[in-house]
Amino acid sequence: MKDIKREKPLTFSLPRRIKRLEELAYNLWWVWHPEAQRLFREIDDLLWEQTYHNPVAFLRDAERSRLNAVIHDRYFLDKYDQVMREFDRYMNEKDTWFSQTYPELSKELMAYLSFEFGLHESLMVYAGGLGILSGDHLKESSDLGIPLVGVGFVYTYGYFSQRISEDGWQEAHNVPIDFDSLPLIRLLDENDEPVKIAIDLPGRKVYARVYELNIGRVKLFLLHTNLPENAPNDRQLTDRLYISDLELRISQEILLGMGGVKALRALGYEPTAWHMNEGHSAFLSLERALEYVKKGLSFEEATHKIKETNIFTTHTPVPAGNDEFPLWLIDKYFVNVWSDLGLSRDDFINIAKVKQSWGGDAFSMPILALKLSEFRNGVSELHGQVAREMWSFLWPDKKDEEVPISHITNGIHTETWLARRMGILFSRYMGADWSDRLDDPEFWAQIENIPDDEIWRVRRHLKRKLVAYIINRGRQQWKNDGVHPVQTIASGVLLDPYALTIGFARRFATYKRANLILQDYDRLLKIVTDARRPVQFIFAGKAHPADEPGKLMIQEVYRAVKDARFGGRLAFLEDYDMNIARYLVQGVDVWLNTPRRPREASGTSGMKAALNGVLNFSVLDGWWREGYNGHNGWPIGDDVSESADPKEQDKADALSFYETLENEIVPLYYEQRSADNLPADWIARMKENIRTLGGQFSTRRMVKEYMTRLYHPAILNGFEERNGNGKAE
Ligand SMILES: *Cc1c(COP(=O)(O)O)cnc(C)c1O
């Protein structure tokens, strides 16, 4: 690291005895340590909710009298000391998994680039699953001690916040983020000037400031262009996530890829290997190539070196979903780059040229990434297979199964997504050191040690907590927003904390088929409103603002939710985010996923649910095709190739859904109660689900796989390179 000064935007006047709360606030370690969160909650639970669980805003706004009160509370101070000891132990740990496994690599560094990072609900720099995966990857890298830095954006508005009109139409509101109330650390150079980088866009330079975020032991650097020295349009470059305007989009991707390399250089980092999470950051190879060409290498020699140390993870199983740019944009934005690289226009475009369905050519970000990475992977077994078929034309001399794209199935960061009360049960019955054993099947086998009545009590508590949260939200909305009463009902205020409850929450993309369960409306009505065995459904999710079919799908679901005949047993929660996700995956009984196979590359929300004892009921796509073992949840449809006609497929899947729900799920939940009124068979299935899925789909397993199978060989390549073994420098 160069001589960089770090400056927090706020300082707090805290009583000396609890002064270190400020340190906690500026390191997201607290996000996955519930005892740390409880310190803030105990000081002022209402303020903790009002600040949306954001410790920086919380400490800024906390009343002095409340802070003074806790420093006389022995119980609080004990907790505080314990949390701070734990934090210090974590931050200073010398014996991490990484340091024990790879002692010879202690000086190496990985870089990880992503458009979005989902770390916490108070930091709206994510849109959905891809971002949550990046966020979980950083947290786990910190836990394992992997030397890794992340690069991404901090957006002026983040992702939009969602309202649903009375008619079920999604409205997008863009609320600016208040940077000073976030744990963003300002970086200053030796002249006390903000650390900035510049990228070249047609006819001008665009500057970006670099902020730092601390995630345990890992640092994430976030770029931002809303600076006075930029032209008005360029200031908007980092306004929002996933803009549709192609010029803004290509500029963003240049900033992330090329700017990301420059940012790490400006801070004095020399990563040995580089990981691109999805194709958005693929331009990083061009910046790296320029560095080598400036040192006198040919483009060919440069790409050889870059490839050996690049890792690319693809998440997109359909050609139409891939990031591509028309050639006129490439001409406009890269004419200087290809000449600096010593290439002709054709040579340059040929690196990533793709034929489009209408016959023209485009420049493909995933192809750029695939061609300039030696390490490539999809995110589930089935997705790996689909990706090999999809990209086999890039390796014309290979059979599909030989295409060099492997897979590492996604996972979730266990401690982020596990309910605190479940964690307490783990500690009591499965060993206090459980967080060190997340990929140890013997640890998960001990789930059988937890008495049925205790785990059931926690499950019931979590469902009551979910319903109470939903009702309270509905009450606020009714009181503050002047909504129509039917919207308040649609928000879930009539939900029953004791009925079998099914959750469906994710992006509203049409292939996810949120409306599948509405195929036979009358049959659904009958299931939901059964007087003895009622079933409830809770929906949540945003559609991309430009996705009209996605918004129509929300509307279709919302109309059913408003239908009085369902008696308020269907609900739609507005503004899905990590906070709502946590309530849902911890609180419902069953987690539903109905994608059109094989379009769900992996999916991760079902993993979060499984970990908490929620049973999955899903199409055998993505991760669930690997996770389902016949006893740990339920499938929708079967594991055979898809019907050619999507309409037929929808019909078959809907039928499978109704039959399994009526004949298996509802009876298992309601009928098979033992003498003590526990659903013994349900609980057995729930434990089987935790035992078989808890470890397998943890980022503990996932990041170790990335390390051993991709990072390690890539780092060794870079290591040899630097030490001059083999290839010419
Ligand atoms: C986990 C999560 C997702 C991803 O869910 P999928 O089922 O994988 O689509 C999206 N959004 C939020 C807020 C999440 O927590």
Side-chain angles (χ1 to χ4, degrees), residues 321-374:
N322 279 307
D323 222 6
E324 291 167 4
F325 294 109
L327 296 188
W328 66 267
L329 265 184
I330 300 300
D331 287 340
K332 180 166 171 186
Y333 281 80
F334 288 99
V335 57
N336 291 328
V337 172
W338 72 62
S339 54
D340 287 350
L341 289 173
L343 295 177
S344 69
R345 173 187 186 266
D346 283 353
D347 287 343
F348 182 77
I349 284 174
N350 278 336
I351 303 172
K353 191 156 83 176
V354 66
K355 269 257 172 299
Q356 297 199 307
S357 51
W358 45 270
D361 288 330
F363 191 88
S364 155
M365 297 302 281
I367 294 181
L368 180 65
L370 286 165
K371 287 226 205 144
L372 296 184
S373 304
E374 189 172 307

Short mmCIF file of all heavy atoms in Angstrom, two decimals, residues 321-374:
data_model
loop_
_atom_site.label_atom_id
_atom_site.label_comp_id
_atom_site.label_asym_id
_atom_site.label_seq_id
_atom_site.Cartn_x
_atom_site.Cartn_y
_atom_site.Cartn_z
N GLY A 321 -29.26 -12.99 -22.73
CA GLY A 321 -29.00 -12.28 -21.48
C GLY A 321 -27.60 -11.70 -21.42
O GLY A 321 -27.26 -11.02 -20.46
N ASN A 322 -26.78 -11.96 -22.42
CA ASN A 322 -25.39 -11.54 -22.32
C ASN A 322 -25.18 -10.10 -22.75
O ASN A 322 -25.89 -9.55 -23.58
CB ASN A 322 -24.51 -12.49 -23.12
CG ASN A 322 -24.22 -13.75 -22.31
OD1 ASN A 322 -23.77 -13.65 -21.18
ND2 ASN A 322 -24.53 -14.89 -22.87
N ASP A 323 -24.17 -9.54 -22.15
CA ASP A 323 -23.80 -8.16 -22.37
C ASP A 323 -23.07 -8.02 -23.71
O ASP A 323 -22.00 -8.59 -23.88
CB ASP A 323 -22.81 -7.83 -21.24
CG ASP A 323 -23.06 -6.49 -20.64
OD1 ASP A 323 -24.04 -5.86 -21.00
OD2 ASP A 323 -22.24 -6.11 -19.80
N GLU A 324 -23.65 -7.27 -24.62
CA GLU A 324 -23.02 -7.07 -25.94
C GLU A 324 -23.14 -5.61 -26.34
O GLU A 324 -24.09 -4.94 -25.97
CB GLU A 324 -23.72 -7.92 -27.00
CG GLU A 324 -23.49 -9.39 -26.83
CD GLU A 324 -24.43 -10.24 -27.69
OE1 GLU A 324 -25.21 -9.68 -28.49
OE2 GLU A 324 -24.37 -11.46 -27.54
N PHE A 325 -22.16 -5.17 -27.15
CA PHE A 325 -22.21 -3.79 -27.64
C PHE A 325 -22.15 -3.77 -29.16
O PHE A 325 -21.38 -4.53 -29.75
CB PHE A 325 -21.06 -2.98 -27.05
CG PHE A 325 -21.16 -2.80 -25.56
CD1 PHE A 325 -20.31 -3.47 -24.69
CD2 PHE A 325 -22.15 -1.98 -25.03
CE1 PHE A 325 -20.43 -3.31 -23.32
CE2 PHE A 325 -22.28 -1.82 -23.65
CZ PHE A 325 -21.42 -2.49 -22.80
N PRO A 326 -22.93 -2.87 -29.79
CA PRO A 326 -22.84 -2.74 -31.25
C PRO A 326 -21.45 -2.22 -31.64
O PRO A 326 -20.80 -1.51 -30.86
CB PRO A 326 -23.94 -1.73 -31.58
CG PRO A 326 -24.28 -1.04 -30.31
CD PRO A 326 -23.91 -1.96 -29.19
N LEU A 327 -21.02 -2.58 -32.86
CA LEU A 327 -19.65 -2.25 -33.25
C LEU A 327 -19.41 -0.75 -33.37
O LEU A 327 -18.30 -0.28 -33.13
CB LEU A 327 -19.31 -2.95 -34.56
CG LEU A 327 -19.29 -4.48 -34.47
CD1 LEU A 327 -18.75 -5.09 -35.75
CD2 LEU A 327 -18.48 -4.97 -33.27
N TRP A 328 -20.45 0.03 -33.70
CA TRP A 328 -20.21 1.47 -33.80
C TRP A 328 -19.78 2.05 -32.45
O TRP A 328 -18.99 3.00 -32.39
CB TRP A 328 -21.43 2.22 -34.37
CG TRP A 328 -22.67 2.20 -33.49
CD1 TRP A 328 -23.69 1.31 -33.55
CD2 TRP A 328 -23.00 3.11 -32.44
NE1 TRP A 328 -24.64 1.59 -32.59
CE2 TRP A 328 -24.25 2.71 -31.90
CE3 TRP A 328 -22.37 4.25 -31.89
CZ2 TRP A 328 -24.88 3.37 -30.85
CZ3 TRP A 328 -23.00 4.92 -30.84
CH2 TRP A 328 -24.24 4.47 -30.32
N LEU A 329 -20.28 1.44 -31.39
CA LEU A 329 -19.86 1.92 -30.06
C LEU A 329 -18.42 1.53 -29.77
O LEU A 329 -17.66 2.29 -29.17
CB LEU A 329 -20.75 1.30 -28.98
CG LEU A 329 -21.95 2.09 -28.49
CD1 LEU A 329 -22.63 1.34 -27.36
CD2 LEU A 329 -21.50 3.47 -28.00
N ILE A 330 -18.06 0.34 -30.22
CA ILE A 330 -16.68 -0.10 -30.01
C ILE A 330 -15.74 0.82 -30.80
O ILE A 330 -14.70 1.26 -30.28
CB ILE A 330 -16.52 -1.57 -30.46
CG1 ILE A 330 -17.45 -2.48 -29.66
CG2 ILE A 330 -15.07 -2.03 -30.33
CD1 ILE A 330 -17.22 -2.48 -28.16
N ASP A 331 -16.14 1.17 -32.03
CA ASP A 331 -15.33 2.11 -32.82
C ASP A 331 -15.16 3.42 -32.08
O ASP A 331 -14.07 3.98 -31.99
CB ASP A 331 -16.02 2.39 -34.17
CG ASP A 331 -15.91 1.20 -35.11
OD1 ASP A 331 -15.01 0.36 -34.89
OD2 ASP A 331 -16.73 1.10 -36.05
N LYS A 332 -16.27 3.88 -31.54
CA LYS A 332 -16.24 5.19 -30.89
C LYS A 332 -15.36 5.18 -29.62
O LYS A 332 -14.65 6.14 -29.35
CB LYS A 332 -17.68 5.60 -30.55
CG LYS A 332 -17.82 6.94 -29.87
CD LYS A 332 -19.26 7.41 -29.88
CE LYS A 332 -19.42 8.64 -29.00
NZ LYS A 332 -20.83 9.04 -28.87
N TYR A 333 -15.44 4.09 -28.88
CA TYR A 333 -14.79 4.09 -27.55
C TYR A 333 -13.39 3.48 -27.53
O TYR A 333 -12.64 3.72 -26.60
CB TYR A 333 -15.70 3.39 -26.53
CG TYR A 333 -16.82 4.28 -26.04
CD1 TYR A 333 -17.96 4.47 -26.81
CD2 TYR A 333 -16.71 4.98 -24.85
CE1 TYR A 333 -18.97 5.32 -26.40
CE2 TYR A 333 -17.71 5.83 -24.42
CZ TYR A 333 -18.84 6.00 -25.20
OH TYR A 333 -19.84 6.85 -24.78
N PHE A 334 -13.05 2.68 -28.56
CA PHE A 334 -11.78 1.94 -28.44
C PHE A 334 -10.77 2.20 -29.54
O PHE A 334 -9.75 1.54 -29.58
CB PHE A 334 -12.07 0.44 -28.32
CG PHE A 334 -12.66 0.09 -26.98
CD1 PHE A 334 -14.02 -0.08 -26.82
CD2 PHE A 334 -11.84 -0.01 -25.86
CE1 PHE A 334 -14.56 -0.36 -25.58
CE2 PHE A 334 -12.37 -0.28 -24.61
CZ PHE A 334 -13.73 -0.46 -24.47
N VAL A 335 -11.04 3.21 -30.38
CA VAL A 335 -10.11 3.43 -31.49
C VAL A 335 -8.69 3.69 -30.98
O VAL A 335 -7.71 3.16 -31.52
CB VAL A 335 -10.63 4.57 -32.42
CG1 VAL A 335 -10.84 5.85 -31.66
CG2 VAL A 335 -9.70 4.77 -33.59
N ASN A 336 -8.56 4.41 -29.87
CA ASN A 336 -7.21 4.65 -29.35
C ASN A 336 -6.63 3.41 -28.68
O ASN A 336 -5.43 3.18 -28.71
CB ASN A 336 -7.22 5.79 -28.34
CG ASN A 336 -7.49 7.11 -29.01
OD1 ASN A 336 -7.11 7.30 -30.18
ND2 ASN A 336 -8.19 8.00 -28.32
N VAL A 337 -7.51 2.64 -28.10
CA VAL A 337 -7.02 1.46 -27.38
C VAL A 337 -6.41 0.46 -28.36
O VAL A 337 -5.31 -0.04 -28.15
CB VAL A 337 -8.15 0.81 -26.56
CG1 VAL A 337 -7.70 -0.52 -25.97
CG2 VAL A 337 -8.61 1.75 -25.45
N TRP A 338 -7.12 0.16 -29.46
CA TRP A 338 -6.53 -0.85 -30.34
C TRP A 338 -5.26 -0.35 -30.99
O TRP A 338 -4.35 -1.13 -31.20
CB TRP A 338 -7.54 -1.46 -31.31
CG TRP A 338 -8.04 -0.63 -32.46
CD1 TRP A 338 -7.29 -0.11 -33.48
CD2 TRP A 338 -9.39 -0.25 -32.73
NE1 TRP A 338 -8.10 0.57 -34.35
CE2 TRP A 338 -9.39 0.50 -33.93
CE3 TRP A 338 -10.60 -0.48 -32.07
CZ2 TRP A 338 -10.56 1.04 -34.48
CZ3 TRP A 338 -11.76 0.04 -32.63
CH2 TRP A 338 -11.74 0.80 -33.81
N SER A 339 -5.17 0.94 -31.27
CA SER A 339 -3.91 1.39 -31.85
C SER A 339 -2.79 1.34 -30.80
O SER A 339 -1.68 0.92 -31.11
CB SER A 339 -4.04 2.75 -32.51
OG SER A 339 -4.57 3.68 -31.60
N ASP A 340 -3.10 1.72 -29.56
CA ASP A 340 -2.07 1.62 -28.52
C ASP A 340 -1.63 0.17 -28.29
O ASP A 340 -0.50 -0.10 -27.89
CB ASP A 340 -2.58 2.20 -27.19
CG ASP A 340 -2.65 3.72 -27.24
OD1 ASP A 340 -2.13 4.30 -28.22
OD2 ASP A 340 -3.25 4.32 -26.32
N LEU A 341 -2.56 -0.75 -28.53
CA LEU A 341 -2.21 -2.17 -28.35
C LEU A 341 -1.48 -2.72 -29.58
O LEU A 341 -1.08 -3.88 -29.59
CB LEU A 341 -3.48 -3.00 -28.09
CG LEU A 341 -4.16 -2.81 -26.75
CD1 LEU A 341 -5.49 -3.56 -26.70
CD2 LEU A 341 -3.27 -3.26 -25.60
N GLY A 342 -1.37 -1.90 -30.62
CA GLY A 342 -0.71 -2.35 -31.84
C GLY A 342 -1.57 -3.28 -32.67
O GLY A 342 -1.07 -4.15 -33.39
N LEU A 343 -2.89 -3.12 -32.57
CA LEU A 343 -3.80 -3.99 -33.30
C LEU A 343 -4.53 -3.20 -34.38
O LEU A 343 -4.68 -1.98 -34.27
CB LEU A 343 -4.86 -4.57 -32.35
CG LEU A 343 -4.37 -5.50 -31.25
CD1 LEU A 343 -5.54 -5.91 -30.37
CD2 LEU A 343 -3.70 -6.73 -31.84
N SER A 344 -5.02 -3.92 -35.40
CA SER A 344 -5.92 -3.30 -36.36
C SER A 344 -7.33 -3.35 -35.78
O SER A 344 -7.59 -4.10 -34.83
CB SER A 344 -5.89 -4.06 -37.68
OG SER A 344 -6.49 -5.34 -37.49
N ARG A 345 -8.24 -2.61 -36.37
CA ARG A 345 -9.63 -2.64 -35.90
C ARG A 345 -10.17 -4.06 -35.96
O ARG A 345 -10.79 -4.55 -35.00
CB ARG A 345 -10.49 -1.72 -36.76
CG ARG A 345 -11.97 -1.83 -36.44
CD ARG A 345 -12.83 -1.04 -37.40
NE ARG A 345 -14.23 -1.05 -36.98
CZ ARG A 345 -15.14 -1.93 -37.42
NH1 ARG A 345 -14.81 -2.87 -38.28
NH2 ARG A 345 -16.39 -1.85 -36.98
N ASP A 346 -9.91 -4.74 -37.09
CA ASP A 346 -10.47 -6.08 -37.24
C ASP A 346 -9.91 -7.04 -36.20
O ASP A 346 -10.64 -7.84 -35.61
CB ASP A 346 -10.19 -6.62 -38.64
CG ASP A 346 -11.13 -5.99 -39.66
OD1 ASP A 346 -12.05 -5.25 -39.22
OD2 ASP A 346 -10.94 -6.22 -40.86
N ASP A 347 -8.59 -6.95 -35.99
CA ASP A 347 -7.99 -7.85 -34.98
C ASP A 347 -8.64 -7.63 -33.63
O ASP A 347 -8.93 -8.56 -32.89
CB ASP A 347 -6.49 -7.57 -34.84
CG ASP A 347 -5.72 -8.08 -36.05
OD1 ASP A 347 -6.29 -8.91 -36.79
OD2 ASP A 347 -4.57 -7.64 -36.24
N PHE A 348 -8.86 -6.35 -33.32
CA PHE A 348 -9.42 -6.02 -32.02
C PHE A 348 -10.85 -6.57 -31.90
O PHE A 348 -11.19 -7.25 -30.93
CB PHE A 348 -9.42 -4.51 -31.83
CG PHE A 348 -9.93 -4.07 -30.49
CD1 PHE A 348 -9.14 -4.18 -29.35
CD2 PHE A 348 -11.22 -3.57 -30.34
CE1 PHE A 348 -9.61 -3.80 -28.11
CE2 PHE A 348 -11.70 -3.18 -29.11
CZ PHE A 348 -10.90 -3.29 -27.99
N ILE A 349 -11.64 -6.29 -32.91
CA ILE A 349 -13.05 -6.70 -32.83
C ILE A 349 -13.17 -8.22 -32.86
O ILE A 349 -14.03 -8.79 -32.18
CB ILE A 349 -13.85 -6.01 -33.95
CG1 ILE A 349 -14.04 -4.54 -33.51
CG2 ILE A 349 -15.21 -6.68 -34.17
CD1 ILE A 349 -14.67 -3.66 -34.50
N ASN A 350 -12.26 -8.85 -33.59
CA ASN A 350 -12.32 -10.31 -33.66
C ASN A 350 -12.11 -11.00 -32.32
O ASN A 350 -12.50 -12.15 -32.14
CB ASN A 350 -11.29 -10.83 -34.66
CG ASN A 350 -11.83 -10.73 -36.08
OD1 ASN A 350 -13.05 -10.72 -36.28
ND2 ASN A 350 -10.93 -10.63 -37.04
N ILE A 351 -11.50 -10.30 -31.38
CA ILE A 351 -11.30 -10.94 -30.07
C ILE A 351 -12.65 -11.35 -29.48
O ILE A 351 -12.78 -12.39 -28.86
CB ILE A 351 -10.61 -9.97 -29.07
CG1 ILE A 351 -9.28 -9.49 -29.62
CG2 ILE A 351 -10.42 -10.64 -27.71
CD1 ILE A 351 -8.65 -8.39 -28.76
N ALA A 352 -13.65 -10.52 -29.69
CA ALA A 352 -14.92 -10.77 -28.98
C ALA A 352 -16.12 -10.63 -29.90
O ALA A 352 -17.21 -10.30 -29.45
CB ALA A 352 -15.03 -9.80 -27.80
N LYS A 353 -15.90 -10.91 -31.18
CA LYS A 353 -17.00 -10.73 -32.13
C LYS A 353 -18.04 -11.84 -31.96
O LYS A 353 -17.71 -13.00 -31.80
CB LYS A 353 -16.46 -10.73 -33.55
CG LYS A 353 -17.50 -10.28 -34.56
CD LYS A 353 -16.86 -9.72 -35.82
CE LYS A 353 -16.50 -10.86 -36.77
NZ LYS A 353 -15.98 -10.33 -38.04
N VAL A 354 -19.30 -11.44 -32.02
CA VAL A 354 -20.37 -12.43 -31.92
C VAL A 354 -21.42 -12.09 -32.97
O VAL A 354 -21.69 -10.92 -33.24
CB VAL A 354 -20.98 -12.45 -30.49
CG1 VAL A 354 -21.68 -11.15 -30.17
CG2 VAL A 354 -21.93 -13.62 -30.31
N LYS A 355 -21.95 -13.13 -33.60
CA LYS A 355 -23.05 -12.94 -34.57
C LYS A 355 -24.34 -12.80 -33.79
O LYS A 355 -24.62 -13.57 -32.89
CB LYS A 355 -23.19 -14.18 -35.46
CG LYS A 355 -22.38 -14.17 -36.73
CD LYS A 355 -23.26 -13.85 -37.95
CE LYS A 355 -22.42 -13.64 -39.21
NZ LYS A 355 -21.47 -12.51 -39.11
N GLN A 356 -25.12 -11.82 -34.17
CA GLN A 356 -26.40 -11.66 -33.49
C GLN A 356 -27.51 -12.33 -34.28
O GLN A 356 -27.34 -12.63 -35.46
CB GLN A 356 -26.69 -10.19 -33.31
CG GLN A 356 -25.65 -9.56 -32.41
CD GLN A 356 -26.12 -8.26 -31.86
OE1 GLN A 356 -26.53 -7.38 -32.59
NE2 GLN A 356 -26.08 -8.14 -30.55
N SER A 357 -28.63 -12.53 -33.63
CA SER A 357 -29.71 -13.29 -34.27
C SER A 357 -30.18 -12.61 -35.55
O SER A 357 -30.58 -13.26 -36.50
CB SER A 357 -30.89 -13.44 -33.30
OG SER A 357 -31.22 -12.20 -32.77
N TRP A 358 -30.08 -11.27 -35.60
CA TRP A 358 -30.52 -10.57 -36.82
C TRP A 358 -29.43 -10.54 -37.88
O TRP A 358 -29.58 -9.92 -38.93
CB TRP A 358 -30.99 -9.17 -36.49
CG TRP A 358 -30.09 -8.42 -35.54
CD1 TRP A 358 -30.17 -8.40 -34.19
CD2 TRP A 358 -28.96 -7.61 -35.88
NE1 TRP A 358 -29.17 -7.62 -33.65
CE2 TRP A 358 -28.42 -7.13 -34.67
CE3 TRP A 358 -28.34 -7.24 -37.08
CZ2 TRP A 358 -27.29 -6.31 -34.62
CZ3 TRP A 358 -27.22 -6.42 -37.04
CH2 TRP A 358 -26.70 -5.96 -35.82
N GLY A 359 -28.29 -11.19 -37.62
CA GLY A 359 -27.28 -11.34 -38.66
C GLY A 359 -26.09 -10.41 -38.54
O GLY A 359 -25.03 -10.70 -39.08
N GLY A 360 -26.22 -9.31 -37.81
CA GLY A 360 -25.10 -8.38 -37.68
C GLY A 360 -24.08 -8.86 -36.65
O GLY A 360 -24.25 -9.91 -36.03
N ASP A 361 -23.02 -8.08 -36.49
CA ASP A 361 -21.99 -8.44 -35.52
C ASP A 361 -22.07 -7.53 -34.30
O ASP A 361 -22.50 -6.39 -34.40
CB ASP A 361 -20.61 -8.27 -36.14
CG ASP A 361 -20.33 -9.36 -37.18
OD1 ASP A 361 -20.88 -10.47 -37.02
OD2 ASP A 361 -19.59 -9.08 -38.13
N ALA A 362 -21.63 -8.04 -33.18
CA ALA A 362 -21.54 -7.23 -31.98
C ALA A 362 -20.28 -7.65 -31.22
O ALA A 362 -19.63 -8.64 -31.58
CB ALA A 362 -22.78 -7.40 -31.11
N PHE A 363 -19.97 -6.90 -30.18
CA PHE A 363 -18.79 -7.17 -29.36
C PHE A 363 -19.31 -7.70 -28.02
O PHE A 363 -20.10 -7.04 -27.34
CB PHE A 363 -18.03 -5.86 -29.17
CG PHE A 363 -16.66 -6.02 -28.57
CD1 PHE A 363 -15.55 -6.25 -29.37
CD2 PHE A 363 -16.48 -5.91 -27.19
CE1 PHE A 363 -14.28 -6.36 -28.83
CE2 PHE A 363 -15.21 -6.02 -26.63
CZ PHE A 363 -14.10 -6.25 -27.46
N SER A 364 -18.89 -8.91 -27.69
CA SER A 364 -19.49 -9.60 -26.55
C SER A 364 -18.58 -9.57 -25.33
O SER A 364 -17.43 -10.02 -25.39
CB SER A 364 -19.78 -11.05 -26.95
OG SER A 364 -19.80 -11.88 -25.81
N MET A 365 -19.08 -9.09 -24.24
CA MET A 365 -18.28 -9.04 -23.01
C MET A 365 -17.93 -10.44 -22.48
O MET A 365 -16.79 -10.68 -22.10
CB MET A 365 -18.99 -8.22 -21.94
CG MET A 365 -19.19 -6.76 -22.32
SD MET A 365 -17.64 -5.92 -22.69
CE MET A 365 -17.03 -5.61 -21.02
N PRO A 366 -18.88 -11.38 -22.44
CA PRO A 366 -18.47 -12.72 -21.98
C PRO A 366 -17.44 -13.38 -22.90
O PRO A 366 -16.56 -14.09 -22.41
CB PRO A 366 -19.78 -13.51 -21.95
CG PRO A 366 -20.80 -12.68 -22.58
CD PRO A 366 -20.34 -11.27 -22.56
N ILE A 367 -17.52 -13.11 -24.21
CA ILE A 367 -16.50 -13.72 -25.08
C ILE A 367 -15.14 -13.10 -24.79
O ILE A 367 -14.12 -13.80 -24.71
CB ILE A 367 -16.89 -13.57 -26.57
CG1 ILE A 367 -18.15 -14.40 -26.84
CG2 ILE A 367 -15.75 -14.04 -27.47
CD1 ILE A 367 -18.63 -14.36 -28.27
N LEU A 368 -15.13 -11.78 -24.61
CA LEU A 368 -13.86 -11.13 -24.25
C LEU A 368 -13.29 -11.79 -22.99
O LEU A 368 -12.10 -12.13 -22.92
CB LEU A 368 -14.10 -9.64 -24.01
CG LEU A 368 -12.89 -8.80 -23.62
CD1 LEU A 368 -11.87 -8.77 -24.75
CD2 LEU A 368 -13.30 -7.38 -23.25
N ALA A 369 -14.16 -12.00 -22.01
CA ALA A 369 -13.70 -12.59 -20.76
C ALA A 369 -13.28 -14.05 -20.94
O ALA A 369 -12.25 -14.48 -20.41
CB ALA A 369 -14.80 -12.48 -19.71
N LEU A 370 -14.06 -14.80 -21.70
CA LEU A 370 -13.74 -16.22 -21.89
C LEU A 370 -12.41 -16.38 -22.62
O LEU A 370 -11.59 -17.23 -22.27
CB LEU A 370 -14.84 -16.92 -22.71
CG LEU A 370 -16.15 -17.20 -21.99
CD1 LEU A 370 -17.25 -17.54 -23.01
CD2 LEU A 370 -15.99 -18.34 -20.98
N LYS A 371 -12.19 -15.54 -23.66
CA LYS A 371 -10.98 -15.70 -24.45
C LYS A 371 -9.74 -15.26 -23.70
O LYS A 371 -8.65 -15.75 -23.95
CB LYS A 371 -11.12 -14.90 -25.74
CG LYS A 371 -12.08 -15.55 -26.72
CD LYS A 371 -11.45 -15.56 -28.10
CE LYS A 371 -12.50 -15.62 -29.18
NZ LYS A 371 -12.13 -14.83 -30.36
N LEU A 372 -9.91 -14.31 -22.79
CA LEU A 372 -8.73 -13.80 -22.10
C LEU A 372 -8.64 -14.30 -20.65
O LEU A 372 -8.03 -13.66 -19.80
CB LEU A 372 -8.69 -12.28 -22.17
CG LEU A 372 -8.55 -11.71 -23.61
CD1 LEU A 372 -8.43 -10.21 -23.60
CD2 LEU A 372 -7.35 -12.32 -24.34
N SER A 373 -9.25 -15.44 -20.39
CA SER A 373 -9.10 -16.07 -19.07
C SER A 373 -8.77 -17.54 -19.28
O SER A 373 -9.39 -18.19 -20.11
CB SER A 373 -10.40 -16.01 -18.26
OG SER A 373 -10.86 -14.71 -18.12
N GLU A 374 -7.85 -18.03 -18.51
CA GLU A 374 -7.57 -19.46 -18.57
C GLU A 374 -8.51 -20.22 -17.64
O GLU A 374 -8.73 -21.41 -17.79
CB GLU A 374 -6.12 -19.70 -18.17
CG GLU A 374 -5.67 -21.12 -18.42
CD GLU A 374 -4.18 -21.27 -18.20
OE1 GLU A 374 -3.41 -20.49 -18.81
OE2 GLU A 374 -3.79 -22.14 -17.41
#
